[in-house]
């Protein structure tokens, strides 16, 4: 049909029309009904083809969107897994560093077993003992030197004349003067 032809209308026949109409009128009405049905079927076919095409296009778009969403989800899951692994590694490093800062008794013992460290500690211990001995010796030498005004050659309580002299000419009243090391420790 062309655009110029009028669209056929739906043909309605009642029981009374069926009895009263002639055969030719029924045929004309039948043809009108057929034309109407053909136009409806053509419209339906157009709509179906448009709908099917539209549905296929929308289905394709939906599939692409689902694939894109699935791909994004996979990427995000991979990123999350990577971040969780990095977080676990950082946690492990933190625990290791905390343990390294607080050495246990077993770690200290094992470091003492190391020959180089043990030798170093033994040397330090020996030097400490030597220093303690020198300090004790210097203190003993200084305790023998007590400058009291009542101490004399026989302890009578008189001060000898050589002690009362000037500071530059003062002889030492004690037979064992303090050593240079003892004087250094004092000053």
């Amino acid at each position: 049909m062309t655009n110029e032809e009028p669209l056929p209308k739906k043909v309605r026949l009642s029981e009374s029309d069926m009895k009263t109409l002639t055969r030719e009128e029924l045929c004309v009405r039948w043809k009108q009904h057929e034309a109407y049905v053909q136009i409806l079927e053509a419209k339906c076919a157009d709509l179906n083809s448009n709908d099917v095409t539209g549905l296929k296009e929308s289905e394709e778009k939906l599939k692409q969107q689902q694939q894109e969403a699935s791909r994004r989800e996979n990427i995000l899951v991979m990123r999350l897994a990577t971040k969780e692994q990095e977080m676990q590694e950082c946690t492990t490093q933190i625990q290791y560093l905390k343990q390294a800062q607080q050495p246990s008794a077993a770690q200290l013992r094992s470091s003492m077993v190391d020959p180089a460290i043990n030798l170093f500690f033994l040397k330090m211990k020996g030097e400490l003992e030597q220093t303690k001995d020198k300090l004790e010796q210097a203190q003993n030498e200084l305790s023998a030197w007590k400058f009291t005004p009542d101490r004399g050659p026989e302890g009578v309580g008189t001060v000898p004349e050589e002690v009362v002299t000037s500071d530059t000419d003062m002889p030492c009243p004690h037979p064992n003067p303090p050593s240079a090391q003892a004087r250094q420790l004092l000053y």
Side-chain angles (χ1 to χ4, degrees):
M1 286 187 120
T2 63
N3 290 336
E4 297 171 4
E5 294 179 18
L7 292 175
K9 294 184 178 180
K10 185 175 181 181
V11 178
R12 295 182 185 209
L13 296 173
S14 62
E15 286 285 325
S16 61
D17 288 339
M18 294 288 275
K19 292 179 184 175
T20 57
L21 289 177
T22 63
R23 185 171 182 198
E24 287 94 27
E25 289 176 337
L26 279 175
C27 284
V28 169
R29 293 252 179 123
W30 179 259
K31 286 180 185 180
Q32 288 174 346
H33 182 67
E34 280 293 318
Y36 179 73
V37 169
Q38 285 178 355
I39 288 176
L40 288 179
E41 286 177 347
K43 283 183 179 179
C44 184
D46 286 344
L47 287 176
N48 283 341
S49 67
N50 287 341
D51 285 346
V52 169
T53 305
L55 286 174
K56 285 182 182 179
E57 288 175 1
S58 64
E59 184 180 6
E60 287 293 322
K61 286 180 184 178
L62 183 62
K63 282 182 182 179
Q64 288 176 352
Q65 288 174 350
Q66 286 176 343
Q67 288 174 347
E68 183 68 23
S70 175
R71 189 177 65 81
R72 286 182 185 167
E73 181 183 5
N74 289 339
I75 289 171
L76 292 174
V77 167
M78 287 173 48
R79 282 185 182 171
L80 179 64
T82 304
K83 293 292 182 185
E84 285 178 352
Q85 185 178 4
E86 289 175 0
M87 190 174 73
Q88 185 65 31
E89 289 173 0
C90 288
T91 303
T92 304
Q93 277 185 334
I94 289 171
Q95 289 175 352
Y96 174 76
L97 291 173
K98 281 183 180 179
Q99 289 176 352
Q101 285 180 344
Q102 298 173 352
S104 66
Q107 287 174 332
L108 289 175
R109 280 190 207 109
S110 68
S111 66
M112 294 291 272
V113 173
D114 185 10
I117 294 175
N118 193 22
L119 180 63
F120 181 69
F121 279 123
L122 289 175
K123 260 185 157 181
M124 283 183 5
K125 186 177 179 183
E127 288 176 6
L128 181 63
E129 287 175 2
Q130 286 177 358
T131 307
K132 282 183 181 179
D133 289 343
K134 287 179 184 179
L135 178 64
E136 186 179 327
Q137 186 181 23
Q139 285 177 346
N140 287 340
E141 287 179 10
L142 286 175
S143 67
W145 274 80
K146 292 193 178 172
F147 294 102
T148 57
D150 60 339
R151 188 164 182 213
E154 283 123 22
V156 175
T158 60
V159 178
E161 287 183 35
E162 57 252 7
V163 175
V164 182
T165 61
S166 72
D167 292 333
T168 56
D169 297 335
M170 185 185 287
C172 185
H174 196 278
N176 295 327
S179 66
Q181 289 176 351
R183 279 184 258 147
Q184 272 186 333
L185 289 175
L186 283 174
Y187 298 80

